[in-house]
Structure formats: C-alpha cells, structure tokens
Amino acid sequence: MATMADVARSAGVSVATVSHVLNGTRPVLPHTRQAVLDAVDALGYTPNTLARSLVTSRTRSIGLAVSAISNPYFTEILQGVESAALEAGYSLLIADPHDDPRHERKVVQLLHERRVDGMIVAPSADPEDLVGYVRRHAVPTVFLDRLVDAGMPADVPPGDGAGAATALGAPGFDQVCAESAAPTALLVTHLAERGHRRIALVAGLPGLSTTSERVSGYRDGLAAARLAYDERLLVSGNSESAGAERATAALLGLPDPPTALVTANNAMTIGALRALRRHGRSVPDDIALCCFDDFAWADLFSPRLTAIAQPSRELGAQAVRVLLDRLAEPDRPARTLRLPCTFVHRTSCGCPEAPGPAGTDGYTAPSTLSEKGTAT
C-alpha cells in the first residue's frame, strides 16, 4: 500500500504538505494541492483513518439516532444528513432507538463507544436518560426534529423565570426543527374558511414537542376562527397508522362527528384514510382532510391531499452544519434553528382543483427561519 511518504516523493513536496492538503489544516497553493491530489490518484493512496484518529482524537464520524427509519419523513432527513456529512468529509453511523427511552439510551451509548465525534438525535417522548448521558459525557449533540426541555438546572425554583427559560426550544443544547404550531393553525383556519365548524385533530405521541406544538397550533387555529374548543375532537393517534385508525373511528362514532379532520403526521394520515374508507366516508364530500407531512404519493391519492410539507432534507443538512459548528467551537452558545414549512394546497380540503401542473400549487406558510441562542 502506498504511504503518505510515497505521495510526498511523487508530488515533490514534504509529508507535512501532503497532510495539510488531505486534512485541510492549512492553505496550500493551488498547483501544489493539485500535484498532491494527482499523486494520491496515481498511487491509489488511501488515508489511514484509524492512525489519524489516534493522533487527532477525532474519527471524522457522526452518530445518527432516529426512530422509524422506514418513515419517508425520516428517510428524507437521513438523506440530508448523509449528503451534508459526506460533503464535509464525515462518515455516518446510524441507529434506530424505536422511540423507546431505554433503547434510545443504549444506542446512544453504543454510538459514543464507537468514538463518533458528535451525535444527531431525534429524541423520544421521555429523553431524560439520553440528555443525562450526553451531558455527563460532554458528547457534542444536536437534537433533531423534536425539542427537549433541558435548559435550567434542577435547583431553579418555579417563579424565578424557570418557566420561560425551560420552554421547549430553549435548552442548553443545539437543536434543529421545523415550525409546527403556525402551520397547524393554518390548516385549521383554512378548513374554517371552507365553512367547517367541527374540526378534529388526530394528534401524535404524547410527550413529543412536535405533538405539543401541533396541539397548540390546532387550538390557536380554532381561536382565530372563533370556534369553540371541544375536547372530544382532540384524539391521540400515537404517531402511528394503527393508532390513528382507531382514533378516527372513535371520532366518527361521536353523536356529532367532525366534518373536517387534521392529521398530525404522514403515518396517521394513512390510518385515518383507512378508517374513513372502512366506515364508508368519502373525502372531501363527507369529511374534509388536511395533513401535516407531505409525502411522495400524497399527490397520487384521489382526492389529492392538502398538506404541510416539512423541509426534511434541509433539516438533516442543517443539523450537520450546526454539529460541525459545535465541534469547531465547543464553547459557543447553544442555538435552536426553526425552519419554515410549506402549505401544499390540493383538493382533500374540499377546494376545487387549482390550475397548473400537479404538485406545483403550494405556498409557504407564514413561518420563517428563526434562530434562538441560549447560553449553555
């Protein structure tokens, strides 16, 4: 196997120069850099990453822990993470915590034992052990999609600003997520504008920040439309298809069932549609439907699904960039990035078909990229 010394002799430079070119540790003149790269290519030189990690204490690897990798939403996030990581010269180790707090803690420890430089984690509904582990071991970590409430020390009493400081989105960790409340409110007000007064929400798994924020957005939308909140119209689908099917069936069994339905993720949309079909309800003639999460085949349903599209790939890419910033500057203040969603207006809400090619009739919901900084 060719060595770095072989590359240096072939390129007519020092071993240090070869190291600077390959590791990007110092600027090198363009013609010198090209000579080194040509020598690397000609000799088939492959850097010894194990030896390099022993010297630098870095493995140039990132651990990614996300549940339901088979879910199209997380699949697209994974693509964004992988693309950004490879572009920065990092490899990726992937684990599925299955939304189980005990398993989550185990897979994060296994990733840490593989000496990843940092982690990107979509936390479970009960991430206390996870947060404790990465804090105790000082693991550079970015929480993705779901926020954690970990900003205040345990000894801060209520009434001393703890409520505001521990609000979701203000922890001592870097976080990247999409807006949830405002886009959900937009779905509700859109249905209200169509004349609906009984609008239900099939919400996600309790304890997740995405669930809490979408429930909050649902109630904000009702308030904006001057509609009374009816607790019977807020049901939990536990973020899964089967749960949403049961929840939707319960809604249809009410004495005064809803005339419109909002589902809070793509898996629950499938479950809701299955329940509606089983009960002989037509969308949108019998019941209007809007959903959070757009997916590749949403445009193929009949009717076409009106949806909130999350910037999945960009969420993944942003998480990598935030983690790399943390690795480069460990003491920088923690920050939370929120990316805007897009309202994709189709026909399941009861609106007529819009002109133009299918899938192009979307517009950005009134939420913008924001960055909130908090000191760790």
Side-chain angles (χ1 to χ4, degrees):
M1 294 179 63
T3 66
M4 193 178 290
D6 296 330
V7 173
R9 280 192 296 271
S10 177
V13 299
S14 68
V15 172
T17 298
V18 175
S19 176
H20 289 313
V21 170
L22 297 180
N23 297 313
T25 50
R26 195 183 72 185
V28 177
L29 291 173
H31 69 275
T32 303
R33 173 182 170 81
Q34 190 58 52
V36 170
L37 296 177
D38 289 344
V40 167
D41 186 55
L43 296 172
Y45 171 72
T46 302
N48 186 330
T49 55
L50 178 59
R52 182 169 60 187
S53 68
L54 291 174
V55 174
T56 64
S57 298
R58 291 284 184 91
T59 60
R60 296 194 71 81
S61 62
I62 294 172
L64 175 66
V66 295
S67 295
I69 291 175
S70 60
N71 185 317
Y73 170 64
F74 280 113
T75 300
E76 291 194 4
I77 282 182
L78 171 58
Q79 291 170 349
V81 171
E82 182 182 41
S83 177
L86 289 176
E87 183 179 347
Y90 281 76
S91 59
L92 204 58
L93 297 180
I94 306 171
D96 188 338
H98 302 294
D99 269 334
D100 180 337
R102 289 174 298 178
H103 191 62
E104 172 181 70
R105 163 67 169 73
K106 184 181 298 182
V107 300
V108 164
Q109 180 175 345
L110 289 173
L111 289 171
H112 183 219
E113 290 173 354
R114 294 294 298 271
R115 295 297 184 261
V116 294
D117 293 338
M119 294 189 207
I120 297 172
V121 183
S124 68
D126 183 15
E128 183 177 351
D129 285 348
L130 160 68
V131 171
Y133 183 89
V134 296
R135 191 190 294 280
R136 186 165 58 252
H137 293 277
V139 183
T141 302
V142 174
F143 290 118
L144 175 64
D145 181 61
R146 303 156 177 179
L147 305 181
V148 297
D149 185 0
M152 293 293 289
D155 58 354
V156 174
D160 288 354
T166 58
L168 292 175
F173 292 94
D174 295 313
Q175 305 194 101
V176 177
C177 64
E179 296 282 4
S180 280
T184 305
L186 178 62
L187 293 179
V188 174
T189 55
H190 177 68
L191 290 168
E193 288 168 357
R194 294 287 306 165
H196 294 282
R197 295 295 176 265
R198 299 277 295 167
I199 303 171
L201 173 69
V202 181
L205 187 67
L208 297 179
S209 68
T210 48
T211 298
S212 300
E213 292 186 355
R214 289 168 198 174
V215 168
S216 177
Y218 166 69
R219 299 193 65 164
D220 289 345
L222 292 176
R226 299 183 182 278
L227 298 178
Y229 167 69
D230 184 343
E231 63 181 9
R232 296 174 301 169
L233 297 182
L234 174 58
V235 294
S236 175
N238 288 321
S239 299
E240 60 179 13
S241 177
E245 186 173 357
R246 292 190 296 270
T248 303
L251 288 170
L252 297 177
L254 291 173
D256 189 7
T259 62
L261 183 64
V262 176
T263 52
N265 78 0
N266 54 19
M268 291 191 291
T269 299
I270 300 301
L273 286 169
R274 190 178 291 117
L276 293 173
R277 182 180 63 183
R278 182 158 52 86
H279 286 78
R281 305 299 174 88
S282 172
V283 177
D285 295 335
D286 298 324
I287 186 169
L289 175 67
C290 291
C291 53
F292 207 106
D293 281 343
D294 197 22
F295 43 96
W297 55 88
D299 194 49
L300 302 179
F301 281 89
S302 182
R304 299 163 59 226
L305 298 180
T306 294
I308 295 295
Q310 300 192 74
S312 309
R313 293 195 184 196
E314 183 58 22
L315 283 169
Q318 284 281 11
V320 172
R321 296 178 193 125
V322 170
L323 179 59
L324 295 181
D325 287 345
R326 171 64 53 198
L327 294 174
E329 192 180 345
D331 296 328
R332 66 178 299 150
R335 54 182 171 159
T336 292
L337 296 184
R338 285 184 173 271
L339 276 63
C341 295
T342 300
F343 176 54
V344 186
H345 189 188
R346 300 189 181 108
T347 57
S348 65
C349 54
C351 291
E353 188 73 45
T360 62
D361 47 344
Y363 61 87
T364 302
S367 57
T368 58
L369 174 64
S370 61
E371 180 174 328
K372 300 177 182 178
T374 58
T376 55

